Amino acid sequence: LLEAEAVERTYRMGGDVEVRALRGVSFRVDRGDYVAIVGTSGSGKSTLLNLIGALDRPDGGHVRYDGRDVREMSDTELAELRNVRIGFVFQSFHLLSRMTARDNVAMPLVYRTSSPKERRRRATEALEAVGLGDRVDHRPTELSGGQQQRVAIARALVTEPALILADEPTGNLDTRTGEEIMGLLEGIQADRGTALVVITHEPEIAGRAGRRIELRDGLVVADAVQIPT
Amino acid sequence: LLEAEAVERTYRMGGDVEVRALRGVSFRVDRGDYVAIVGTSGSGKSTLLNLIGALDRPDGGHVRYDGRDVREMSDTELAELRNVRIGFVFQSFHLLSRMTARDNVAMPLVYRTSSPKERRRRATEALEAVGLGDRVDHRPTELSGGQQQRVAIARALVTEPALILADEPTGNLDTRTGEEIMGLLEGIQADRGTALVVITHEPEIAGRAGRRIELRDGLVVADAVQIPT
Ligand SMILES: Nc1ncnc2c1ncn2[C@@H]1O[C@H](COP(=O)(O)OP(=O)(O)OP(=O)(O)O)[C@@H](O)[C@H]1O
Ligand SMILES: Nc1ncnc2c1ncn2[C@@H]1O[C@H](COP(=O)(O)OP(=O)(O)OP(=O)(O)O)[C@@H](O)[C@H]1O
Ligand SMILES: [Mg+2]
Ligand SMILES: [Mg+2]
């Protein structure tokens, strides 16, 4: 499904300052895989997720989907990949503050589902699945931190993507709500064969995956199959 | 130091919809106290912190500092309270995106420290204390999620406030960095008698406090001294 090969990303700042955020990262994700990405703050996890989500371009190496390099994709192909085939949960949510929760969640469906009524129905369903059926008309500023996080998660699920990339999806959730959300994601992975890649700093969440990749200073220092707990 | 008495907060939305976020919350915090606030997503924790931080007004009940009701404070007194006497770490950081990390951290010092050179020096020190000495000139968008969180923490410490209110301060930090940050805050509490109120969903973090308050649906359901682990 997805392959990262020797991926590098360097941020260049004014005055010759460079931050080598990724220094040659390689791994692959097959359909139905469940991968946890861990590592210290600043080790390059979000940078990696942005690259494999085709939201950013590597400075070195390749990112391929079903063998096709994202560099060779047209704008239309990239839009389809980012908005329909991949569901992305951002570390800082990136919700649109002037739209309600439901309209935020309905956004990715614009690329695929032509009827506004159908988009609204599916967005409502996704919000109910994350426990926010009674918050559909609230705007992000009218929601708690954990509720905003769950809106971002609902938006990532609504197109039934082949791959979910989630950056700290439980960072603002109490333990029980966090487990409910992970259970929801794992159910989707089990039922539909959706691949799940989750960045997390919580060992209990990382332990639920079938594979664990650890980053340090922009390099992979561990990539191991594990028995999920 | 701080007293909340029968505090209520109701959000009124269009069309007669009301969300009773806090329905009568009472507790007190003395100098040097270390309190953890826990509860499910949406239970009212951030709302409570905003009220005790004098960033919002209760619809019912009272918030008092050293016996003085915040409702009776002048704008100048409130500015001093919010920016100097209290250090606030927001769940969504609220950093200014056009300023560097150092300038963000120096902001609260404007209310107290007249020399730009001294503000710069103290801001640099605070950033070094949270492990970001090599990121002082980065803007928030040029920082990882956990680095942004630590900038917000440094900003809350820089005026050496009497009370630190921290909303999920380790939500984006790996376990080790999170422990280093809590160690830093606890050191300040032990050395300077600073009161620490921390909202957290992580049981290991909550267990470090001397007292634990649990919220559910806008009410206090537990307020107990505990042996820190
Ligand atoms: N501006 C607002 N308008 C309407 N409702 C609001 C507003 N802000 C918050 N709420 C609601 O008030 C309730 C309490 O919100 P609050 O942010 O205090 O929760 P919390 O305990 O901090 O949650 P979390 O753990 O998810 O951060 C939530 O149900 C939320 O939907
Ligand atoms: N736009 C940018 N310009 C310069 N440096 C950047 C930029 N974005 C990120 N960085 C740096 O790149 C490194 C990796 O950032 P990244 O966001 O990938 O880390 P992370 O592993 O997700 O961290 P966290 O766990 O704190 O979220 C960090 O040291 C950060 O300071
Ligand atoms: Mg990150
Ligand atoms: Mg909150």
Side-chain angles (χ1 to χ4, degrees):
Chain A
L1 173 62
L2 158 68
E3 183 189 8
E5 182 192 328
V7 164
E8 296 182 37
R9 182 70 175 94
T10 299
Y11 295 111
R12 281 167 202 85
M13 306 177 64
D16 291 346
V17 176
E18 274 193 355
V19 176
R20 295 195 64 203
L22 294 176
R23 302 193 278 144
V25 167
S26 302
F27 66 89
R28 37 178 295 174
V29 177
D30 296 318
R31 283 181 163 63
D33 275 2
Y34 183 3
V35 183
I37 297 180
V38 303
T40 56
S41 176
S43 55
K45 305 180 296 295
S46 297
T47 301
L48 177 62
L49 216 70
N50 287 338
L51 289 172
I52 67 185
L55 299 169
D56 186 20
R57 290 207 166 166
D59 297 309
H62 305 270
V63 174
R64 297 188 187 95
Y65 275 88
D66 294 328
R68 186 157 166 71
D69 198 316
V70 295
R71 274 202 196 93
E72 292 160 19
M73 289 185 180
S74 67
D75 285 350
T76 319
E77 277 182 277
L78 282 172
E80 161 88 4
L81 181 69
R82 289 169 188 150
N83 291 297
V84 179
R85 283 210 273 154
I86 298 171
F88 209 113
V89 185
F90 294 93
Q91 193 167 6
S92 59
F93 317 154
H94 293 180
L95 300 177
L96 299 173
S97 55
R98 290 193 208 161
M99 297 166 73
T100 63
R102 177 162 36 203
D103 290 341
N104 263 285
V105 173
M107 285 285 289
L109 292 172
V110 162
Y111 292 89
R112 177 162 275 193
T113 311
S114 45
S115 136
K117 197 148 162 277
E118 176 67 6
R119 291 200 293 271
R120 185 180 169 91
R121 185 191 70 76
R122 289 177 66 171
T124 304
E125 231 172 53
L127 283 164
E128 284 168 347
V130 298
L132 294 177
D134 61 352
R135 290 283 182 275
V136 296
D137 289 317
H138 285 231
R139 289 187 180 72
T141 45
E142 297 166 335
L143 293 170
S144 77
Q147 291 167 345
Q148 292 174 24
Q149 185 152 44
R150 284 182 276 160
V151 173
I153 291 164
R155 182 179 62 185
L157 305 180
V158 75
T159 62
E160 301 186 351
L163 170 67
I164 292 171
L165 301 177
D167 199 340
E168 296 285 358
T170 63
N172 284 285
L173 301 176
D174 58 277
T175 308
R176 199 170 109 215
T177 308
E179 285 174 354
E180 286 169 15
I181 290 300
M182 293 313 298
L184 173 71
L185 295 176
E186 289 156 6
I188 290 168
Q189 182 238 356
D191 297 346
R192 290 187 217 148
T194 306
L196 256 188
V197 177
V198 177
I199 293 173
T200 181
H201 73 269
E202 301 190 47
E204 304 79 11
I205 303 290
R208 298 166 74 121
R211 198 164 126 227
R212 177 181 177 279
I213 294 176
E214 182 175 354
L215 288 191
R216 190 183 306 155
D217 293 330
L219 291 170
V220 172
V221 296
D223 183 347
V225 170
Q226 62 181 12
I227 299 177
T229 36
Chain B
L1 171 61
L2 158 68
E3 183 190 7
E5 183 193 328
V7 164
E8 296 182 36
R9 181 70 174 94
T10 299
Y11 295 111
R12 282 166 201 85
M13 305 177 64
D16 291 346
V17 176
E18 275 192 354
V19 177
R20 296 197 62 203
L22 294 175
R23 302 192 279 144
V25 167
S26 303
F27 66 90
R28 36 178 297 172
V29 177
D30 297 317
R31 282 180 164 62
D33 274 1
Y34 182 1
V35 183
I37 298 180
V38 303
T40 57
S41 176
S43 54
K45 307 179 296 294
S46 297
T47 300
L48 177 62
L49 217 70
N50 287 339
L51 289 172
I52 66 185
L55 299 169
D56 186 18
R57 289 205 169 170
D59 296 310
H62 304 271
V63 174
R64 297 187 186 95
Y65 276 88
D66 293 328
R68 186 155 167 68
D69 198 317
V70 294
R71 275 203 195 92
E72 292 158 20
M73 290 184 180
S74 68
D75 286 350
T76 319
E77 276 181 281
L78 281 172
E80 162 88 3
L81 181 68
R82 289 170 188 148
N83 292 297
V84 180
R85 282 210 273 155
I86 298 171
F88 208 113
V89 184
F90 295 92
Q91 193 167 7
S92 60
F93 318 153
H94 292 180
L95 300 176
L96 298 172
S97 55
R98 289 195 208 160
M99 298 166 74
T100 63
R102 179 163 32 205
D103 290 342
N104 263 284
V105 173
M107 285 284 291
L109 292 172
V110 161
Y111 291 90
R112 178 162 274 192
T113 311
S114 45
S115 137
K117 196 147 164 280
E118 177 67 6
R119 291 201 294 270
R120 185 179 168 89
R121 185 190 69 75
R122 290 178 64 171
T124 304
E125 232 172 53
L127 283 165
E128 285 168 348
V130 297
L132 294 176
D134 60 351
R135 291 283 182 275
V136 296
D137 290 316
H138 285 231
R139 290 188 179 70
T141 47
E142 297 165 335
L143 293 170
S144 78
Q147 289 167 345
Q148 292 174 24
Q149 186 152 42
R150 284 182 276 159
V151 174
I153 291 164
R155 183 179 61 185
L157 306 180
V158 75
T159 62
E160 300 185 353
L163 169 68
I164 292 170
L165 302 177
D167 199 341
E168 296 285 358
T170 63
N172 285 286
L173 301 176
D174 57 278
T175 308
R176 199 170 109 215
T177 308
E179 286 174 352
E180 286 169 16
I181 290 300
M182 292 313 297
L184 173 71
L185 295 177
E186 288 154 9
I188 290 170
Q189 181 238 355
D191 297 346
R192 289 188 219 149
T194 305
L196 254 189
V197 177
V198 176
I199 293 173
T200 180
H201 72 270
E202 301 190 47
E204 303 78 12
I205 304 289
R208 297 166 72 122
R211 196 163 129 229
R212 177 183 177 278
I213 294 176
E214 181 176 353
L215 288 191
R216 190 184 307 156
D217 292 330
L219 292 169
V220 173
V221 297
D223 183 346
V225 170
Q226 64 181 10
I227 299 175
T229 37

